[in-house]
């Protein structure tokens, strides 16, 4: 909960010296409460006052990064319970558990299977980004060697072992890769905190219930280890979801600091469909990290697709870069299509054109990510913007003709567009699914007529 002016006034010196630029400490407190001033402006503010204000300014859920600085995965720092209230910022990280019990070759193959789980979806590469490496033998050297192989492949890691010694040996060997260490418990928290502190790694904390978890995070944070990820210990969809929701509510609504960390969940269902449903529920509410026992490619695709949708800001449409794009290998006689920079529109046009085995030039107009008819209605896809886009795209230097195909829905613009652009405007199909048929009939006629 943000501090009120009165809360802040209580920790100020109350001398009303005026050196902060306002006549009284209360006036200064009011400025601080509305973020119009910084505490450093008062030369007499105590360390306590500074700590109080810093604590109040800290995000309700801490931002935690896993992995090396140049390729880290960032989780936490969410600010709302429901996406429609604002947005969700940091997508749930997904990890696949791999036990260290096979041969080096088997392990490497397992790592590479996870690494291959990446998909190009609406212009974004979405992937499974972490492996949860599980110590099942208690052998520090074997575990550390497996961690080295994974990081050598560029894989981010969660290191899982009940033994601080085993985790410490692996963390020391791959220190720059900043794995998440799992997990501090009531039995080992001091030693685990020391391993995390020494190796500057984030630390997962597991309680047997929410009360124990809160007590543990308080104790560990008091040791100065604050990059924490929390696990309530609940397993199974209903209890885990209940705890995840409780943790998020308490962190956001009550500013309950012991739960002010990203939370994690484990998928425990046996059936593969149930595994997807369980993981999906955790992605929706409110896991920052989900660990799956196993993951097939079809399961991974389902989860990363859901995650991409949940963590896409609904107020910011996914966009592609405006300008000239190519489909296939177009040449000087290839058609020139015009569309908007709304990602789904762009990729639909691209896919439908490719399905007709046609190479084409695509002039993409910046409509702030709006689709054809929405942008037309908002006057962002009009004769002026399209003519300007055609001119600036440089497509005139790429083709020997001067014919541009516009979506059928904006046929009414074609006259004015011809005037402004100097191009012959061909009204294409209303839906891009009609492009293959359009190319076989209308475009062929135009080409033949031009040749005769
Ligand atoms: S400088 Fe500090 S002590 Fe002086 S009036 Fe401002 S807040 Fe109060």
């Amino acid at each position: 909960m943000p501090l009120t002016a009165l809360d802040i006034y209580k920790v100020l010196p109350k001398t009303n010296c005026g050196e902060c630029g306002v006549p009284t400490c209360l006036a200064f407190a009011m400025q601080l409460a509305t973020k119009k001033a910084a505490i450093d402006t008062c030369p007499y503010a105590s360390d306590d006052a500074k700590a109080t204000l810093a604590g109040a300014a800290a995000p309700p859920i801490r931002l935690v990064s896993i992995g090396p600085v140049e390729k880290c995965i960032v989780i936490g720092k969410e600010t709302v319970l429901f996406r429609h209230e604002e947005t969700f910022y940091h997508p749930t990280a997904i990890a696949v558990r791999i036990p260290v019990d096979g041969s080096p070759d088997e392990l490497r193959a397992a790592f590479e299977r996870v690494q291959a789980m990446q998909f190009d979806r609406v212009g974004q590469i979405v992937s499974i980004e972490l492996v949860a490496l599980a110590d099942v033998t208690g052998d520090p050297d074997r575990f550390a060697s497996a961690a080295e192989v994974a990081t050598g492949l560029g894989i981010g890691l969660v290191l899982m072992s009940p033994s601080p010694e085993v985790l410490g040996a692996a963390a020391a060997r791959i220190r720059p890769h900043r794995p998440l260490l799992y997990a501090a418990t009531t039995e080992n928290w001091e030693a685990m905190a020391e391993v995390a502190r020494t190796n500057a790694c984030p630390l997962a904390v597991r309680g047997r219930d929410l009360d124990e978890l809160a007590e543990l995070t308080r104790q560990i944070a008091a040791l100065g280890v604050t990059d924490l990820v929390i696990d309530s210990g609940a397993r199974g969809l209903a209890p885990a979801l209940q705890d995840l929701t409780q943790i998020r509510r308490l962190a956001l609504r009550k500013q309950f600091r012991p739960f002010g960390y990203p939370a994690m969940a484990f998928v425990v269902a046996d059936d593969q469909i149930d595994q997807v449903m369980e993981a999906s529920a955790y992605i929706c509410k409110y896991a920052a990290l989900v660990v799956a026992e196993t993951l097939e490619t079809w399961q991974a695709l389902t989860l990363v697709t859901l995650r991409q949708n949940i963590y896409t800001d609904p107020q910011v449409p996914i966009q592609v870069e405006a300008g000239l794009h190519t489909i296939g290998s177009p040449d000087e006689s290839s058609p020139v299509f015009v569309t908007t920079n709304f990602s789904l529109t762009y990729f639909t046009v691209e896919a439908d054109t490719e399905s007709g085995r046609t190479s084409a030039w695509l002039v993409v107009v910046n409509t702030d990510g709006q689709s054809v008819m929405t942008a037309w209605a908002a006057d962002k896809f009009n004769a002026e913007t399209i003519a300007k886009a055609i001119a600036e795209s440089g497509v005139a230097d790429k083709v020997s003709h001067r014919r541009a195909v516009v979506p059928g829905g904006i046929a009414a613009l074609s006259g004015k567009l011809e005037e402004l652009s100097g191009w012959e405007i061909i009204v294409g199909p209303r839906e891009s699914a009609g492009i293959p048929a359009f190319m076989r009939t209308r475009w062929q006629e135009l080409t033949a007529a031009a040749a005769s």
Side-chain angles (χ1 to χ4, degrees):
M1 212 134 6
L3 293 176
T4 64
L6 215 53
D7 295 329
I8 298 170
Y9 176 69
K10 285 177 190 162
V11 295
L12 291 178
K14 304 185 195 69
T15 57
N16 300 330
C17 70
E19 286 185 45
C20 55
V22 290
T24 64
C25 293
L26 183 58
F28 185 61
M30 290 167 78
Q31 291 211 334
L32 287 174
T34 53
K35 303 198 185 329
K36 289 180 183 152
I39 185 68
D40 294 341
T41 318
C42 168
Y44 309 108
S46 65
D47 289 344
D48 268 0
K50 288 177 182 168
T52 303
L53 282 166
I61 298 175
R62 191 176 174 83
L63 190 70
V64 173
S65 61
I66 303 168
V69 175
E70 67 282 1
K71 201 185 159 195
C72 66
I73 289 143
V74 181
I75 55 175
K77 207 176 178 184
E78 299 300 340
T79 54
V80 290
L81 277 170
F82 305 106
R83 193 180 73 147
H84 62 259
E85 293 175 324
E86 192 175 303
T87 189
F88 291 163
Y89 289 100
H90 298 104
T92 306
I94 301 173
V96 186
R97 182 179 178 275
I98 295 180
V100 182
D101 57 0
S103 69
D105 284 349
E106 286 169 335
L107 264 181
R108 182 178 287 272
F111 293 151
E112 287 173 349
R113 265 200 305 280
V114 175
Q115 229 176 1
M117 290 180 187
Q118 45 179 274
F119 315 91
D120 185 347
R121 192 167 178 279
V122 286
Q124 296 178 347
I125 302 296
V126 286
S127 63
I128 301 299
E129 40 306 83
L130 293 171
V131 161
L133 203 58
D135 161 40
V136 290
T137 64
D139 179 343
D141 191 53
R142 187 174 182 182
F143 190 64
S145 299
E148 279 182 320
V149 173
T151 53
L153 293 169
I155 292 173
L157 285 178
V158 180
L159 297 179
M160 301 173 64
S161 173
S163 159
E165 186 200 353
V166 171
L167 283 191
R173 294 255 284 269
I174 60 163
R175 186 177 298 179
H177 297 272
R178 296 192 75 245
L180 172 66
L181 308 178
Y182 182 93
T185 62
T186 47
E187 287 78 35
N188 64 17
W189 64 272
E190 283 168 300
M192 285 291 192
E194 182 56 21
V195 171
R197 200 189 55 73
T198 310
N199 294 288
C201 290
L203 177 64
V205 183
R206 185 183 71 233
R208 276 181 285 248
D209 54 37
L210 291 180
D211 289 338
E212 187 176 287
L213 181 63
E215 185 56 25
L216 272 172
T217 59
R218 271 195 205 98
Q219 288 169 319
I220 294 170
L223 295 178
V225 177
T226 52
D227 277 345
L228 304 179
V229 177
I230 55 180
D231 170 14
S232 74
R235 298 292 181 265
L237 183 54
L241 209 52
Q242 198 172 356
D243 279 1
L244 287 166
T245 306
Q246 191 78 335
I247 286 169
R248 175 71 73 98
R249 276 200 190 130
L250 286 167
L252 294 186
R253 298 265 162 90
K254 304 288 183 194
Q255 301 269 312
F256 185 62
R257 291 293 176 196
F259 289 165
Y261 305 97
M264 65 189 294
F266 287 78
V267 179
V268 296
D270 292 327
D271 178 80
Q272 287 188 319
I273 298 282
D274 289 345
Q275 288 167 356
V276 171
M277 289 196 292
E278 188 182 350
S280 299
Y282 299 152
I283 288 170
C284 292
K285 289 180 181 294
Y286 289 105
L289 167 62
V290 171
V291 180
E293 190 70 21
T294 60
L295 208 58
E296 298 296 328
T297 303
W298 65 268
Q299 293 175 301
L301 177 59
T302 309
L303 296 179
V304 295
T305 301
L306 170 76
R307 179 181 65 181
Q308 188 184 29
N309 289 334
I310 298 286
Y311 282 86
T312 297
D313 188 340
Q315 298 169 70
V316 182
I318 310 176
Q319 304 177 25
V320 297
E321 201 177 328
L324 186 61
H325 293 245
T326 57
I327 300 172
S329 309
D331 58 22
E332 61 176 16
S333 61
S334 298
V336 174
F337 291 116
V338 176
T339 192
T340 76
N341 71 333
F342 178 42
S343 198
L344 293 182
T345 300
Y346 172 88
F347 285 105
T348 307
V349 172
E350 183 189 52
D352 288 332
T353 307
E354 280 174 345
S355 76
R357 301 181 195 286
T358 298
S359 289
W361 302 96
L362 192 52
V363 175
V364 176
V365 181
N366 181 4
T367 57
D368 294 328
Q370 291 184 341
S371 64
V372 168
M373 296 316 291
T374 310
W376 172 73
D379 207 24
K380 291 181 178 174
F381 195 52
N382 55 35
E384 286 81 6
T385 57
I386 297 171
K388 187 163 176 275
I390 291 173
E392 290 178 352
S393 71
V395 70
D397 299 330
K398 308 281 187 189
V399 294
S400 55
H401 61 82
R402 289 293 178 271
R403 283 188 297 273
V405 184
V406 298
I410 59 159
L413 298 179
S414 53
K416 187 171 181 192
L417 183 52
E418 282 198 339
E419 262 175 49
L420 292 177
S421 67
W423 284 58
E424 181 185 357
I425 300 301
I426 312 297
V427 177
R430 286 188 74 86
E431 305 292 339
S432 63
I435 288 177
F438 169 86
M439 290 304 297
R440 284 194 304 273
T441 54
R442 182 86 173 106
W443 187 257
Q444 289 293 345
E445 289 164 18
L446 289 163
T447 310
S452 61

